[in-house]
Amino acid sequence: MPKMIPAQMGDNNPSAAEKQVFAGFSAMPDTDNWTILHSVGIAKHPTQSQGEADFVVIIPEKGTFTLEVKGGTIYRDRGIWYSENRYGVSNMIKDPVSEADDASQAFKGFVSKSPRNPVTDKLEGTVFGFGVMFPDCSFHDKISMIELADEQLADADDCISPKTLKAYLLRLAEFWRIAFRDNKKVKLPSAHQSHLITDILRPDFDAR
């Protein structure tokens, strides 16, 4: 199972979708060297005064992947995204693709400027990517979007179990490996580099 940081979700989180994904991630088999950060704030966000990523998945030899989770029935009307709950009430939501992409770029930028990023490691030169998760919807083979590849998307079928969630993350990692395969400046992260990225994005500290 992966290392979850924090180990448990707070009771004040209202998102049933995030709770479902968190529980599934926590039980994924054969992922002992993976680290998953939940609810990572972004002070210097490129498009918002304060941003946040639902999950950041850090996998040695694969990459660092930012995930945006949207629950409910998701639909888009005239360019505006909406989520409809079980009672048929719709609410406008932020574009999840842009959210995930912007957050991923913010993390890469933060890591590149961190004094804990050794010049020899060049952490910003490792794979950074993003994905979007709709645990309550059926998307595959039904909806195609130019801004989001099918491999980047997890729907209800992908969120059924820890095994299907792991399969989605491996599919996402392969998508980004192929996307960067001709870019010699981008490398897959070693276990050491993945540990440093984790420590930079969610460090422990004691200010007493």
Side-chain angles (χ1 to χ4, degrees):
M1 295 182 290
K3 181 179 182 181
M4 304 294 296
I5 305 177
Q8 296 179 337
M9 283 186 65
D11 294 334
N12 60 341
N13 191 306
S15 173
E18 283 187 43
K19 291 177 180 177
Q20 176 189 347
V21 172
F22 189 100
F25 280 166
S26 300
M28 288 190 302
D30 303 317
T31 55
D32 291 350
N33 64 338
W34 296 19
T35 302
I36 300 180
L37 314 179
H38 175 247
S39 188
V40 184
I42 305 169
K44 294 184 178 180
H45 193 278
T47 62
Q48 304 175 39
S49 59
Q50 178 73 31
E52 185 247 8
D54 293 328
F55 292 95
V56 180
V57 180
I58 303 167
I59 310 175
E61 307 301 335
K62 301 290 184 185
T64 302
F65 308 107
T66 302
L67 301 174
E68 184 66 30
V69 180
K70 297 296 185 184
T73 300
I74 305 299
Y75 65 97
R76 186 169 62 185
D77 183 23
R78 300 182 183 183
I80 305 298
W81 289 77
Y82 297 88
S83 173
E84 182 179 301
N85 65 22
R86 69 183 71 181
Y87 305 108
V89 178
S90 294
N91 291 293
M92 187 186 303
I93 60 174
K94 296 176 183 177
D95 178 346
V97 182
S98 295
E99 274 196 286
D101 189 10
D102 289 345
S104 180
Q105 294 302 319
F107 292 138
K108 181 179 178 179
F110 184 78
V111 166
S112 71
K113 297 176 182 178
S114 172
R116 306 180 76 175
N117 177 11
V119 176
T120 54
D121 279 288
K122 299 180 179 179
L123 302 180
E124 69 280 5
T126 61
V127 171
F128 282 78
F130 70 91
V132 177
M133 306 182 74
F134 301 139
D136 302 321
C137 297
S138 179
F139 262 79
H140 295 307
D141 301 322
K142 296 181 180 180
I143 298 173
S144 177
M145 292 178 282
I146 191 170
E147 68 268 42
L148 191 70
D150 191 65
E151 295 89 342
Q152 293 175 274
L153 173 66
D155 68 2
D157 289 337
D158 298 305
C159 299
I160 289 175
S161 71
K163 288 185 177 180
T164 58
L165 281 168
K166 180 184 176 182
Y168 159 66
L169 292 175
L170 291 175
R171 187 169 71 245
L172 178 67
E174 180 63 8
F175 168 82
W176 285 105
R177 185 193 69 79
I178 293 173
F180 289 118
R181 65 184 172 184
D182 295 327
N183 189 337
K184 295 182 179 180
K185 294 182 179 180
V186 179
K187 306 293 184 183
L188 297 175
S190 66
H192 172 69
Q193 289 173 317
S194 294
H195 175 77
L196 287 176
I197 291 171
T198 300
D199 202 32
I200 289 171
L201 293 182
R202 182 150 280 174
D204 293 327
F205 63 86
D206 186 342
R208 287 177 295 179

